[in-house]
Amino acid sequence: MATKKQRRRRAKGQRHDYVWVDDEGNEVEPDGTQKPGDKPGRNPPRMQRDPQAPSWQRTFRRGAIFAPIMFGTVFLLSPELPLVTKITQTLLIVAIFVPFSYFIDRFFYRSFQRRRARAEQASGRRGS
C-alpha cells in the first residue's frame, strides 16, 4: 500500500497534462519509463564545489569555532579537574587541531588539483 505522500505525488502526476517534445520540437508519445521533465538518457550533473586553497586564517577561524566545543567536552568528561587544568587541556587540543586541520585542507586541495590535472590531460588526449 502506498503512503499518503506517494498517493498525492502520483495523483499530481496524473492531474497535469504533460506534453512530450523531442529535440526538433515535435510532440511525441511518452514511452512510460521517463518522468515529466526528464531528458532522455541523461543523469543530472552533480554540482561539485571546488575546494578552496588552504589558508591559516580560515584554519584559525575554524579552531576558534571548535574551541568552545572542545572546552565543553573537556568540562563534561573530567568534572574533578580544576578549571585551569581544563583550560590547559583545551588549549593543547586546539594547538593540535589547528595545524592538523590545515594539513588536511592542504591534502584535499592538492588531491583535487591532481585529479583536475589528470582530467584535463585526459580530455586533451581525447580532443587530439
Side-chain angles (χ1 to χ4, degrees):
M1 172 118 187
T3 65
K4 195 173 188 180
K5 185 175 182 178
Q6 290 169 333
R7 287 191 303 257
R8 273 196 314 253
R9 199 174 277 163
R10 191 175 301 129
K12 180 181 177 184
Q14 293 173 354
R15 185 170 48 238
H16 297 290
D17 204 14
Y18 293 105
V19 177
W20 297 89
V21 181
D22 64 2
D23 293 336
E24 288 85 37
N26 303 321
E27 287 188 25
V28 294
E29 290 295 320
D31 59 0
T33 59
Q34 296 173 331
K35 296 178 183 174
D38 284 351
K39 292 187 177 181
R42 280 197 179 165
N43 291 332
R46 282 181 47 199
M47 293 300 293
Q48 186 176 8
R49 282 183 15 189
D50 294 343
Q52 297 176 336
S55 74
W56 282 104
Q57 181 181 8
R58 195 175 326 112
T59 305
F60 282 123
R61 194 176 319 133
R62 188 180 307 130
I65 291 170
F66 279 105
I69 296 169
M70 293 173 193
F71 178 73
T73 303
V74 169
F75 192 81
L76 291 174
L77 292 178
S78 52
E80 70 282 346
L81 293 178
L83 184 63
V84 175
T85 306
K86 292 177 187 177
I87 292 172
T88 306
Q89 283 185 349
T90 303
L91 291 176
L92 179 67
I93 293 170
V94 170
I96 294 169
F97 174 79
V98 169
F100 182 74
S101 178
Y102 178 81
F103 291 125
I104 291 294
D105 287 348
R106 191 174 73 173
F107 171 78
F108 282 120
Y109 184 70
R110 286 182 175 178
S111 66
F112 166 74
Q113 285 181 322
R114 282 192 297 267
R115 270 195 318 268
R116 186 174 55 186
R118 268 188 254 130
E120 288 174 359
Q121 193 176 34
S123 67
R125 281 190 215 143
R126 271 186 257 141
S128 297

